[in-house]
Structures are given as structure tokens and as C-alpha cells.
Amino acid sequence: MATTETNILNRLYFVSGSLFVFALAVVFKLCSIQFIQGDGYRELAEKRTVKDFEIPANRGNVYSADGSLLATSIPKYDVGIDPVTSSNKNFEAYIRPLCDSLQAFTGESASSFQSKLRKARETDNQYVLLARDLSYSDFIRFREFPLLNLGAIRGGFVFSQKTKREHPMGRIAERSIGYEKIDENGYATRVGIDGAFGIKYLRGENGKRLKQKIGNGQWKPIADFNQIEPKDGYDVYTTIDVNIQDIAHHALLGQLEYYKADHGCVVVMDVKTGEIKAISNLGRNKNGFYYERLNYAVGESHEPGSTFKLMALASGLEDKLIDTSDVVDTEKGILSFYGNKVRDSRNGGYGKITVAEAFEVSSNTGIVKAIDNAYRKNPSKFVDRLYSMNLNDSLALPIIGEPSPIIPDPRIKNGRWSGIALQWMAYGYGVSFTPLQTLTFYNAIANDGVMVKPRFLKEVRKFDKVIVPFEKEIINPKICSEPTVKKLQALLKNVVEKKHGTGHRLYSDNFSMAGKTGTCQKDYATKDKLNYISSFAGFFPADNPKYSCIVVIHEPDKSVGYYGADVSGPVFKRIAQKIYTDTPIIEEVQSLDFKNDVVNEDFGHYNDMANKYKQLMPYVVGMPAMDAVALLENLQVNVKLNGSGVVRKQSIDKHQKLKPNQTIVLEAS
């Protein structure tokens, strides 16, 4: 009996002891969670329900040299409501006037909105989207609607902000103005000025706002203020002159259309400073329309053809192995090197002519004979002279995508050298440069031998305060001697002024120009597939030049014409005369019918150049209404929008001068 009682007591003590130990373990675990692991668990809980969201900073604007807007960031807002968070009293008091306001704005019935919001409240749906892609003015209007004006906590007001980059000049210089796009993985695509100077100046610093998860993947701001306010980016002022840009763009566009060319580019540069005043790059799409497809001037390297003859003669003149008065035999138009033939620009050649005449008529055999005689025994000397003029150096442009020049060198393994490299280089084959690299050399000749770096920026500003000024950069203070420069300048003038010059059809009695034509073959497979690159590089006025310019057009229709003097030269002339005389130009080749809308493929861009000045009314008919409103608000005018969708009518005609705070009425479908 005693043994049985003892066993029972022992079991009782064991159970009691086990319960006591378990209780101690529970207490210990609770204390551990509360005081040791508590911070970690609290942080984990907050991460799952509360999160910092980045508020994108307003990207800085891009302006032309005279302050015309080239690129701007327009804020867009998505607005919604959390119908659960507000009290019954507030919800019932303001639900009807809120829905009336929504009806007036969207056109959707108030009863439909009310039904949607009541159902969301009954089912604890904490997010209902009310409107998407609102402009700032409409966002402010929404924020004042009944119930929403009570804020995030009492009224359930929820919104998200994003920015959209707009180019008020449309697709004119769009590739050069550029953009910066960052994908969901953080990979950035940077193009043009906007891309080159985005990180350092334009991007700004993003802000932060604390939001709480409310279900269905939606987040609601916890407070009506930001934890960290975003800091806007700086504004950059480019060297682009919108007047010259307009002239260059349309001159190139008209010629591309006439010759049905694949693509082309034009660059206008200030001789003394290197400032790029205009840059246009147009390529043809599958429908035959031209738009800013790629930045050919900066990023496309190709054999220059006859425009390289200036570099070749500069070498011979500077080394005193060639003089412009030397006589060369063009050998009836054909020279042979190791079984490979150099054919002259005219069947039968030009007989015996001076080196100067060979350049002026662009005689291939004449120039090749002169260079071969001078450097056959020491081709490295020719290459070294090209190097001394910085022709082997890239321009180190901030705009991404510039390839390095290609110059064959007999001393470098795999340096593209061959038994005919010297002779082919003499007339522009076997070497490769971008249009801007070629123009930089021509600009140096116009600038009396001073080679300046092409420059796209004048300064960086914060409001009206200059933060970073950009000054002229000299690549080489003297690429060759003064006598050599003077001879080269005279050669370029004679190409246009002398009757036998390849550029004489561009000659004008009341305006002087200097330059060199270039016609280069591409695609050597068969004669049927043979295409051409037509170019013209030079400067104007011929005496005391102000601007240098290059025009390059790829693959013009051979049945219409392909020589540089016919295809690219007229673009050069049109630009020069428009800039300096502003007189109508009568072309010998063709008359042009400019179509302002051919470069526009979507409604996101203007159909003309009406907005090249900030004070002129642009043409916004056909644009999405929200985009049109945002664009006009950037011009410091008031906008009244009737309807939504696409703009069908504007109260002020295009090209009309705008006044500050003027009201413009837009009628939309």
C-alpha cells in the first residue's frame, strides 16, 4: 500500500516538475523574444508591412544656348483612395460630393463611383484607383475633392508620382539631346546630352516616403509629408542654336527625301570655340519617313573618301615633300599597285596637272601619285605626320558611343597595313573617321591650325546661378605651320570658286564658302550592290570663317545622283546662306518641298517647329490631352482643358506669341 502511494507521489512530482520546467522555458523564451530578439522581430514585421519608397527627383531641364527648352521632366500622378481608413461619419458625409466631383472630371457617372467605393469599403479593399497619369494641375484639383482633402489618414487619399521626359522640339535633334532610361534591374541606357550629363548634373537626388502595405499589392502613405524631400537636378544649357538647328534639320531632311537616301547627318560648329550649334541625324524607317534614329555624327565611323585628301596633303606639305605647285601625271586615269587599280574621278584622267589642281578637281590618281612619290620609301613618316595632327585620337566626347579613328600603321602587328595601304589612304580608303572627327580637322584648318574640341555644353545652372561653366578646350594649339594652313585654306576656297572645282556649282557671287567634296564607295561585293557615301566638309565665310560644317549622306538613290557636290553640297550651301543672308536659295539640282510632319511617327511630338521659341504657341492638336497640358504649363501659361483624350482644338493658333499667365483653352475628344 505504501509502495503504491509512493509511486503515485513520484509521478505527481515528475509531472509537476515537468510543468514547472516548461513554464520556465516559456518565460525564458518570452523574455528572449522581448529583450534579446525583439528588435529583430520588430524590424522583420515592419519590413513586411512598412516600407520606404523612393520619390523620384525632378530631372533638370536641357536648354538651348538662348534658353529655349529642349528637354524637360513632366510629373505624372496616379490617384486612388483607401475607402476603409476614414470614419463612418466622414465617409457618409463626403461620399456623394466626392463622386459628383469625380463625375465632373472623368465623365463616368457618380452612381457608378459610389457603388464601387461602397463595395470596396464593405469588402475591406483598401485601394481603389481613381485616375491615372494626371498632370500636376489636375493632381492639385483632385487633392481638393471632398473626402480626399482630409488627407491620407482621415480621407484615404493615396497617390504615386512618376516623371515623363518630353522634348518640346519634337524629334529635331532628339538623339543628340538624348535621354536616360533605367530599367527594373537598375541597368541604365544613356543617350546624347541627357544621358551623358545625367548622373553628374541632371538627375538630382530622390526623396523617400514611408508607406504601409494595405493588401492587394498596394501601399498607402503613412503621413501627409515625405521623410526625405527630393532634390531637383541642375539645368544644363547647351551650345545648340535653335535657329541654326532648324535650318540644318530641314536642309538635311529635304535632301534625304529627294535622293531617297538611307540616312545622313549634318553638324555645324563654331570655328573659334568648338561649340556645336546644330547637329541633325536622320535615318529612314520602313515607311520611308525620316527620324532621329541614331547619332551618326558621333557614333558612325566610315571611310571618308575624298574629304581625307585634305589630311593627306597636309602631311606632305608639312613634311615639305609636296608642294601645291608640283606637277603630277594622272596617267590617263588609272594607276596600278600590285594588280590593284586606282581609277580617277574622270575617265581618261586629267593629264599632267599641279597638285593644287588635282585637289580642286578631286583627281584620285593625281593625289595618290603625289603621296606615293613622297612616302613610298618611308610610309611610317606619313602615318607619324597624321598622328602629329591628332588624327588617331578620339575626341573623348561626353556623349557615349564615339569609336576611335582607324589609321593603318606598318609598325603595328595586325595594324591593317598592306602593300597598297599607303596609296589607298591617300584618297580616303582604308582609314575610318566619324563625321565629327573629320569636321574637327576641317575646323582646325579654318581656325588657322588651332584644333579645338567639339563642345555641347555652355554651363550648368541652378535657377539663375551658374554652377559649372564650360570653357573652350584646345586639343592641339598648332596642328601644322602657318604656311601649310594658308595653302590648305586656299585649296578649299578654290574647290568652290574655280570653275573646274568640284564644288563650283555651290558658288555664289554674294557669299563665300570653302570646302571639299567627298564620294566614297561602300559595299564592294558586286557592281549592282555598290552604294555610296556622299559628303561635303568646309567652312564659311571663306575669309575669316565663323562656322565649319560637315554633311554626310549614305546610300543616295544612284539613279538620281551620288556625288558629294550634288547630294551633300547643296545642304551645306543652304545652311550657310540661310544663316548669313536669310535669302531664298534657288538650287540647280532640285527644289524642295519641306514636310514638317514627316519625322513624326506618334502624337508625343510636335508636327512643326512652332515651339522653337518658348514664347510661341506650339501645335498640340492630335496630342494626348494630358501631355499637351503638361507641355503648355512648362511654357508658363494657364491651361483649361475641356474633355479628355486627344486634343482636337486649341484656342490660340500655332506660332502666336504667348504672354505670361495667358489662359489657353484646349478642346479634347
Side-chain angles (χ1 to χ4, degrees), residues 314-437:
S315 299
L317 291 170
E318 191 64 11
D319 285 335
K320 295 182 171 55
L321 298 176
I322 297 174
D323 191 77
T324 53
S325 61
D326 293 344
V327 176
V328 290
D329 189 348
T330 61
E331 301 283 357
K332 296 183 180 181
I334 298 178
L335 298 177
S336 183
F337 299 93
Y338 301 101
N340 296 279
K341 290 180 172 53
V342 175
R343 300 185 183 277
D344 214 340
S345 54
R346 185 172 76 178
N347 290 334
Y350 297 88
K352 293 182 179 181
I353 56 176
T354 66
V355 169
E357 290 170 331
F359 183 84
E360 291 154 11
V361 299
S362 201
S363 169
N364 295 332
T365 57
I367 298 299
V368 170
K369 177 69 78 70
I371 295 298
D372 182 61
N373 290 340
Y375 292 103
R376 184 190 313 120
K377 295 181 180 179
N378 189 5
S380 297
K381 186 178 179 70
F382 179 67
V383 175
D384 284 339
R385 180 54 65 185
L386 296 176
Y387 287 176
S388 74
M389 296 184 292
N390 299 89
L391 286 169
N392 61 316
D393 298 328
S394 70
L395 298 172
L397 299 172
I399 293 179
I400 297 168
E402 180 198 10
S404 296
I406 295 174
I407 298 177
D409 191 327
R411 297 158 298 188
I412 300 175
K413 187 178 180 180
N414 298 323
R416 299 172 181 263
W417 193 260
S418 68
I420 59 172
L422 174 67
Q423 295 77 20
W424 259 243
M425 288 169 67
Y427 71 121
Y429 289 89
V431 293
S432 187
F433 302 92
T434 68
L436 196 51
Q437 289 165 354

Side-chain angles (χ1 to χ4, degrees), residues 574-594:
R574 188 176 298 109
I575 292 169
Q577 285 193 307
K578 259 298 192 181
I579 290 174
Y580 268 92
T581 65
D582 198 29
T583 57
I585 304 168
I586 301 175
E587 292 294 345
E588 297 137 7
V589 182
Q590 79 282 341
S591 62
L592 300 175
D593 180 19
F594 294 142

Side-chain angles (χ1 to χ4, degrees), residues 310 441-449 479-480 485 488-489 492 539:
L310 186 73
F441 182 85
Y442 273 75
N443 190 83
I445 300 305
N447 198 21
D448 296 326
I479 64 169
C480 56
V485 168
L488 295 174
Q489 289 174 344
L492 292 170
F539 48 84

